Amino acid sequence: LSIVHPDELNLLRELFENLVRGGLKTGKLDYRIPRKNSGWVWLHTIGRATEWDPLGQVTKITGLTLDITERHTLIEKITNSQENLKFTLEAVGAFSWHLDRNGNTLSYNTQYFFDNLGYSREELSHNLDEHFSKIHPDDRQRVIDAFDKHFQGELPLVNLDYRVRTKDGTGWVWFNTFG
């Protein structure tokens, strides 16, 4: 255990102690050990108590350990890429969104949208109908129709300008949606 990265050493000890004491029947953990030349190798270990003595004490643990370094590297690259995209979008005054017609939800991936309307993330529902209700009455049906046509395959891309009511209800903010 002395080669395990200090950030995961106690977690690995606790995992095995819980398996030996019978607090867990199965346990798993991702942790790092040093690479031969430099850096770290990420491992995923799954352990399971497989034999007990007549008093119920665990006498055997069987496990499997997988090298998941590549997975961790990809996750780190994706996370960095997402952070870079978010920074870039906010720097140019844009935002990204995800519309789930089946789940009737609309979510935004940057704070820019909320800041422009005066909402916090927690205040603005992801409910699609609620979002549509905040669109200016003169724009609302046009926006709904465009998304309906898109989801029916009649419109390959949605590219709309429309207004959304601010939180305090005193104004409207113009947005261009493309997707």
Side-chain angles (χ1 to χ4, degrees), residues 7 20 30 34 37 76 81 117-118 126-127 137-138 152 156 171 178:
D7 290 351
V20 169
D30 293 354
N37 299 329
E76 186 176 312
S81 176
L117 295 173
H126 292 289
N127 180 280
D138 293 346
Q152 293 168 4
F178 181 83

Side-chain angles (χ1 to χ4, degrees), residues 14 27 55 61 63 67 94 109 125-127 129 133-134 173-174:
E14 288 175 23
L55 298 174
I61 297 172
D67 181 340
N109 299 325
S125 167
H126 292 289
N127 180 280
D129 296 329
S133 74
K134 294 181 184 338
V173 177
W174 281 95

Side-chain angles (χ1 to χ4, degrees), residues 18-163:
N18 279 322
L19 286 168
V20 169
R21 283 188 309 223
L24 288 175
K25 292 213 182 218
T26 302
K28 57 186 174 180
L29 180 68
D30 293 354
Y31 60 96
R32 293 167 282 181
I33 62 171
R35 186 180 301 277
K36 190 175 186 178
N37 299 329
S38 68
W40 297 94
V41 174
W42 277 96
L43 301 174
H44 177 76
T45 293
I46 302 169
R48 180 176 170 183
T50 53
E51 288 184 19
W52 297 263
D53 68 16
L55 298 174
Q57 300 294 313
V58 174
T59 58
K60 187 175 184 181
I61 297 172
T62 304
L64 173 69
T65 299
L66 303 168
D67 181 340
I68 58 166
T69 305
E70 187 174 331
R71 181 176 81 175
H72 268 270
T73 302
L74 289 173
I75 289 170
E76 186 176 312
K77 285 179 181 179
I78 290 169
T79 300
N80 289 340
S81 176
Q82 289 171 336
E83 288 171 2
N84 288 340
L85 174 61
K86 181 180 174 187
F87 175 78
T88 302
L89 288 172
E90 289 179 354
V92 299
F95 59 91
S96 62
W97 49 269
H98 176 79
L99 190 146
D100 178 356
R101 193 61 167 206
N102 293 331
N104 198 42
T105 60
L106 180 64
S107 57
Y108 297 92
N109 299 325
T110 60
Q111 189 61 36
Y112 182 81
F113 178 80
F114 302 100
D115 290 346
N116 274 286
L117 295 173
Y119 290 96
S120 69
R121 281 188 182 274
E122 297 76 29
E123 291 175 302
L124 197 58
S125 167
H126 292 289
N127 180 280
L128 187 57
D129 296 329
E130 185 177 328
H131 176 75
F132 283 152
S133 74
K134 294 181 184 338
I135 295 175
H136 192 284
D138 293 346
D139 303 332
R140 187 176 303 132
Q141 195 57 53
R142 180 173 50 83
V143 171
I144 292 169
D145 290 346
F147 279 106
D148 284 344
K149 285 179 182 177
H150 175 71
F151 280 105
Q152 293 168 4
E154 299 172 24
L155 186 63
L157 289 172
V158 174
N159 187 359
L160 297 166
D161 292 324
Y162 64 95
R163 295 161 283 184

